[in-house]
Amino acid sequence: MANNYNSDNTYDIVCPYCLRRFQTFRAMFADYKNFTQEVYPQYAEYLKHYMNIESIAGRRMPVLFQKHGNDGLDAFSALTESGDVTYDRACPECCNMLPAAAGRVKQFTVTVIGADDAQRSYYIASVLHRLNRDLQADFGASFIPADFKTAQTFREQYEEPLYLDKTVPEAMGTVTPLVWEYCKNGAAEPEEWKGSEVRYNRALIYIYNLDKDLCDRYPFIAQTAIAHSDAFVFISDVSEMAGNDDPAYEPWLGFLTETFRRLFGASAASVPTAAVLCRADKTAFRDRKWQQYVRECVSKKSEKNFPTPFFTKLSTKIKETVSAELPAYSSAIRTLFEPESTMFFAARTFFDLHDDGTADIFDCGEVETSFLWLLSKLNIINK
Amino acid sequence: MSEIRCVFCGRLIDTDKQALFRLPPDYVRRPDAIYRRYLEIRDITGKDHNLPDVCGIGSPEVAMLTSENGRPTLVTRTGRNTDSMICPTCHNQILRNTDSASVSSAVFFGGRDSGKTSLVLTLANECITRQFSIDDRFRYIFNDKVCDPALITGAAEEVRNGGKPADLRDPTAIYRVTGASQGMKTLCDVMYDTSASDIRDMDSIRFTLPFAADSRYFVYCIPADKLAETVITQDERADMDARTDMYTMLEACRYAQTPPVLTIAVTKLDLAEKAGGAGDDIMRCHADERALKNYIFTAFPSVGELAVMFTDVHACAVSAVDPDIGGKETTLAGKLYLGLFG
């Protein structure tokens, strides 16, 4: 995580799309005042292998070029053919456009993994929507999409389904990450030393949403994303596994164990991991008294109706469920991730599913705690 | 070294090294691929891209480069002079008095039917009808080739009668002359209208709005009736739309050395009166910038959260249908123009 002092106080760039690492000076530049309708072979290859798209012939693309010698500009800008200055950069390996801050700030990869129906997309939508809204007030920092492409993807695939259509977002696991930028207000430097540890005032965070289907289709890409990860969010649908003592019943966990063994050997991964127990409330529903209470609250369709003491009790109950009813599951998670790097979060989300597939969704405002914990472990926000 | 800014693509040109000239009009005309590309990108139709060749220092037609009245002039080998300097990037003509200190530009953003084009036309027409700024410090002058007063007045009249004007694909450039203490000083104010097709995706923002990165002012248009409705309903979709618009603006100025000043213009103020209680509130607070800002941030919390990314934020209200709201002497449009360009 240390700064890369060998390249003029810049960081190596990790392309969020192909995950290849390269030095800042190798980035290509885009001339947006000059375009071509030819597809670059690297980009065609990326589309074919990563996106399963055969051809996008006829699409207008900016002309990409390598910086010509010493043009008197720094590594983040170059002169175009017509003598204009451009700042837009692209990955030399896959020709995707890089975020503006790439190479200037530390880049982190956070992988959200879980079974196909473990509500990963619900988690991502809810967490990013809340952090986008609240981080400014709570931490004096902005946490926003790093480019317009991410803003569009997040809105169309995550935010709109959850907050407007009131359905559980079902964004496909994709190799295209959500690229978010954290920026602390008024910070002069991208990083600073606080005592013996570094604190990042600016950072790029690549968020990957990986499911088993994606891992089956693109094993190399999924494994690369997992291997590059600086943090994991491990999502489990507790209601699916309650009462089941055999962790092997879930093929996803088996697959993940095998992948981790291949990547990290026998030792557990030491990167911080938030184990989020989605729909943990469902396990508590077996208690009839609570079940009745929650139903009443849900029927009033307002999260304000959930009083805090009730959830404190509920939280205790969920913890008990995790420790008492799911020991095998808990143990399986801990064999994948070192105990001190793992923290369990009971993301208390409520789904009232209808026959037509829509759902009333209520969350209690704490779903983002797990992501904030990860950001603190990555030295981005205060512990 | 003198630097001039192309008002069409926003490029800063070093006239000593990068100046290009178009040969006089009677030279052979050929298709100009670069100019055609500009027309394609901005979706401009009806302009001829068969033009005399472009030449610069080192071209075979060029004999020498001189200066006439302080403006670079090219002398051809046949002894002809041309001072038609053009931009190397888009091959549009470079206007006079467009050095980087003299040009101020504003880009108008907003959702569909938010009144961007009407606002640009109203501001330009205000300059035509008044001739002098509301504080009498400046006189407005128009160059018919880039900003035809007759066309603007006609379009503004159409707006007042409830018509919907076509998007302005070319910039609207207005000169301001002031009798400063050390001789006359000329300034050039440029307004860029945007349309929904300009902001489809990241590539289209970069292709069609290259001038936005160097613009000092962004104007974000919110219709008064929508504001009045949203403040009551607290509609999440409206807030998300506003956030997407804010992201668009941030993307457009991502590489700017200094983020632009954001002015949030509440347009279609005349409709506020018809919008019931919340509309009455807007009418009451439209002259008080602080109250209006609070009102906007209540309706669209995302705008308030992302506004910190800009150098400064202002708010104002304006009506294209009834530009005289606020009084004949100090119209809201006049105040907005003064607030934007000084």
Side-chain angles (χ1 to χ4, degrees):
Chain A
M1 290 188 192
N3 202 345
N4 180 357
Y5 291 105
N6 297 324
S7 56
D8 195 23
N9 249 7
T10 61
Y11 296 86
D12 276 359
I13 296 174
V14 178
C15 171
Y17 302 99
C18 67
L19 285 160
R20 291 191 179 98
R21 180 183 286 269
F22 53 90
Q23 286 176 298
T24 307
F25 71 87
R26 282 197 57 222
M28 293 175 89
F29 286 86
D31 181 0
Y32 267 104
K33 289 172 185 166
N34 199 354
F35 62 82
T36 173
Q37 292 190 328
E38 289 174 23
V39 180
Y40 290 96
Q42 300 100 311
Y43 190 56
E45 199 176 326
Y46 166 82
L47 290 175
K48 191 176 170 189
H49 294 300
Y50 283 64
M51 311 298 285
N52 215 6
I53 298 171
E54 283 296 330
S55 168
I56 53 156
R59 186 188 149 189
R60 216 160 51 182
M61 287 182 76
V63 169
L64 301 181
F65 63 95
Q66 286 284 353
K67 193 176 168 84
H68 314 294
N70 184 10
D71 53 13
L73 300 170
D74 64 12
F76 299 100
S77 51
L79 286 180
T80 65
E81 193 185 5
S82 68
D84 198 5
V85 179
T86 178
Y87 300 92
D88 294 289
R89 288 171 298 153
C91 170
E93 308 287 349
C94 68
C95 293
N96 274 297
M97 298 309 297
L98 295 169
R104 293 178 188 273
V105 301
K106 177 75 183 164
Q107 299 130 93
F108 294 97
T109 302
V110 176
T111 304
V112 180
I113 45 177
D116 291 359
D117 55 354
Q119 310 305 339
R120 297 177 322 282
S121 303
Y122 171 84
Y123 174 83
I124 293 173
S126 189
V127 164
L128 294 184
H129 178 84
R130 284 165 174 280
L131 290 183
N132 194 43
R133 190 186 62 189
D134 299 337
L135 215 66
Q136 190 65 250
D138 296 346
F139 291 89
S142 57
F143 191 62
I144 58 171
D147 54 35
F148 193 64
K149 187 177 170 181
T150 296
Q152 275 184 319
T153 309
F154 179 64
R155 171 158 183 181
E156 286 164 12
Q157 294 187 16
Y158 294 88
E159 216 172 18
E160 252 181 24
L162 182 61
Y163 289 95
L164 297 183
D165 306 336
K166 305 292 179 194
T167 56
V168 180
E170 290 181 358
M172 295 281 289
T174 170
V175 287
T176 307
L178 295 170
V179 185
W180 286 68
E181 187 171 354
Y182 170 89
C183 186
K184 191 168 176 153
N185 294 352
E189 295 292 327
E191 63 176 45
E192 58 184 315
W193 286 88
K194 291 266 168 119
S196 60
E197 64 179 18
V198 69
R199 171 68 40 81
Y200 296 100
N201 293 324
R202 286 187 71 193
L204 279 173
I205 297 161
Y206 305 156
I207 301 163
Y208 291 87
N209 179 1
L210 297 187
D211 61 6
K212 185 162 185 308
D213 177 48
L214 184 86
C215 294
D216 286 341
R217 281 186 291 137
Y218 305 103
F220 173 74
I221 300 163
Q223 283 177 23
T224 312
I226 290 171
H228 276 85
S229 288
D230 296 294
F232 289 103
V233 178
F234 188 92
I235 310 245
S236 301
D237 185 345
V238 183
S239 63
E240 290 287 317
M241 59 182 61
N244 214 325
D245 286 340
D246 182 11
Y249 84 97
E250 196 195 336
W252 164 250
L253 201 55
F255 170 84
L256 204 62
T257 309
E258 193 185 318
T259 308
F260 270 57
R261 291 280 174 274
R262 212 175 298 149
L263 291 170
F264 306 115
S267 58
S270 61
V271 295
T273 304
V276 177
L277 307 177
C278 229
R279 291 201 274 193
D281 53 288
K282 296 281 182 190
T283 58
F285 276 11
R286 270 173 283 167
D287 184 311
R288 282 191 181 173
K289 191 176 145 199
W290 286 0
Q291 199 174 6
Q292 181 60 31
Y293 189 90
V294 170
R295 275 186 185 157
E296 280 171 15
C297 293
V298 167
S299 68
K300 288 176 188 165
K301 298 189 187 305
S302 166
E303 65 181 56
K304 285 178 188 166
N305 288 332
F306 298 114
T308 312
F310 168 73
F311 280 106
T312 313
K313 282 184 197 169
L314 193 60
S315 180
T316 316
K317 176 71 181 174
I318 291 163
K319 276 179 191 162
E320 282 170 12
T321 308
V322 170
S323 57
E325 295 192 20
L326 305 170
Y329 174 75
S330 172
S331 149
I333 297 270
R334 291 204 186 280
T335 55
L336 291 179
F337 306 103
E338 282 182 10
E340 57 267 30
S341 72
T342 315
M343 190 172 271
F344 282 93
F345 293 92
R348 294 169 300 203
T349 55
F350 293 79
F351 296 87
D352 192 7
L353 280 164
H354 307 309
D355 294 338
D356 62 355
T358 59
D360 288 328
I361 297 154
F362 305 89
D363 57 33
C364 306
E366 290 189 18
V367 70
E368 72 272 30
T369 317
S370 50
F371 205 86
L372 286 172
W373 176 79
L374 280 182
L375 292 184
S376 74
K377 293 298 267 184
L378 296 173
N379 287 349
I380 294 174
I381 59 171
N382 290 331
K383 289 188 173 65
Chain B
M1 183 180 82
S2 64
E3 287 188 321
I4 296 185
R5 190 172 292 284
C6 168
V7 298
F8 295 90
C9 71
R11 172 167 175 188
L12 206 56
I13 302 145
D14 177 357
T15 52
D16 295 342
K17 293 177 187 166
Q18 300 169 326
L20 290 179
F21 293 83
R22 196 171 291 286
L23 290 169
D26 52 340
Y27 270 67
V28 179
R29 290 171 176 249
R30 294 196 183 92
D32 186 337
I34 293 176
Y35 182 60
R36 192 179 67 184
R37 197 168 60 211
Y38 165 80
L39 297 177
E40 275 176 23
I41 286 173
R42 293 290 297 158
D43 284 334
I44 297 170
T45 51
K47 283 199 177 179
D48 188 8
H49 61 269
N50 289 306
L51 296 164
D53 273 349
V54 165
C55 58
I57 300 157
S59 302
E61 295 93 345
V62 178
M64 61 185 289
L65 198 64
T66 62
S67 177
E68 209 168 82
N69 295 332
R71 186 169 169 86
T73 305
L74 182 134
V75 183
T76 66
R77 287 203 183 280
T78 53
R80 304 284 305 279
N81 283 9
T82 174
D83 67 348
S84 174
M85 201 159 38
I86 63 161
C87 167
T89 296
C90 65
H91 280 198
N92 272 294
Q93 190 171 357
I94 292 170
L95 308 183
R96 287 173 184 273
N97 299 105
T98 52
D99 58 285
S100 55
S102 303
V103 175
S104 298
S105 54
V107 189
F108 289 69
F109 289 92
R112 203 178 287 273
D113 287 338
S114 58
K116 305 177 289 291
T117 310
S118 303
L119 182 55
V120 174
L121 287 169
T122 306
L123 293 179
N125 193 48
E126 173 80 11
C127 298
I128 293 167
T129 51
R130 294 187 71 92
Q131 294 191 38
F132 290 90
S133 63
I134 57 173
D135 58 0
D136 284 334
R137 281 189 299 153
F138 304 104
R139 174 166 190 174
Y140 300 119
I141 295 175
F142 288 80
N143 177 347
D144 288 5
K145 284 182 184 170
V146 288
C147 186
D148 187 345
L151 287 178
I152 286 177
T153 306
E157 183 66 35
E158 190 191 329
V159 169
R160 275 202 296 278
N161 294 330
K164 190 173 180 300
D167 290 335
L168 301 169
R169 303 308 293 165
D170 269 329
T172 304
I174 299 167
Y175 285 99
R176 260 185 306 152
V177 181
T178 171
S181 56
Q182 295 176 344
M184 297 286 277
K185 172 75 178 159
T186 306
L187 304 168
C188 182
D189 304 330
V190 190
M191 293 184 282
Y192 299 98
D193 181 24
T194 63
S195 78
S197 62
D198 294 339
I199 47 180
R200 276 192 317 271
D201 54 33
M202 205 158 82
D203 279 352
S204 64
I205 292 173
R206 288 266 178 278
F207 276 128
T208 53
L209 310 176
F211 42 77
D214 297 303
S215 290
R216 292 183 199 172
Y217 310 101
F218 280 5
V219 180
Y220 178 44
C221 301
I222 301 175
D225 52 340
K226 189 178 171 186
L227 177 64
E229 189 188 327
T230 312
V231 84
I232 302 256
T233 59
Q234 291 288 305
D235 182 16
E236 189 92 44
R237 186 182 294 273
D239 188 37
M240 278 187 200
D241 287 343
R243 193 187 314 153
T244 306
D245 291 338
M246 296 293 278
Y247 285 145
T248 307
M249 289 189 269
L250 289 172
E251 182 67 38
C253 65
R254 192 167 284 281
Y255 294 103
Q257 288 184 337
T258 310
V261 173
L262 177 67
T263 300
I264 305 170
V266 178
T267 54
K268 304 184 183 180
L269 190 60
D270 47 294
L271 294 182
E273 289 170 331
K274 299 171 192 165
D280 291 342
D281 290 343
I282 296 173
M283 287 305 288
R284 264 196 299 278
C285 71
H286 80 264
D288 181 353
E289 187 183 337
R290 201 166 158 183
L292 191 61
K293 260 202 269 189
N294 279 338
Y295 205 82
I296 294 165
F297 295 164
T298 308
F300 304 101
S302 299
V303 175
E305 286 147 22
L306 293 169
V308 294
M309 314 291 278
F310 293 90
T311 300
D312 201 359
V313 181
H314 298 291
C316 67
V318 70
S319 169
V321 173
D322 187 5
D324 294 335
I325 292 182
K328 288 262 181 209
E329 293 306 311
T330 55
T331 61
L332 296 177
K335 275 200 263 186
L336 172 58
Y337 195 94
L338 194 69
L340 278 177
F341 298 111

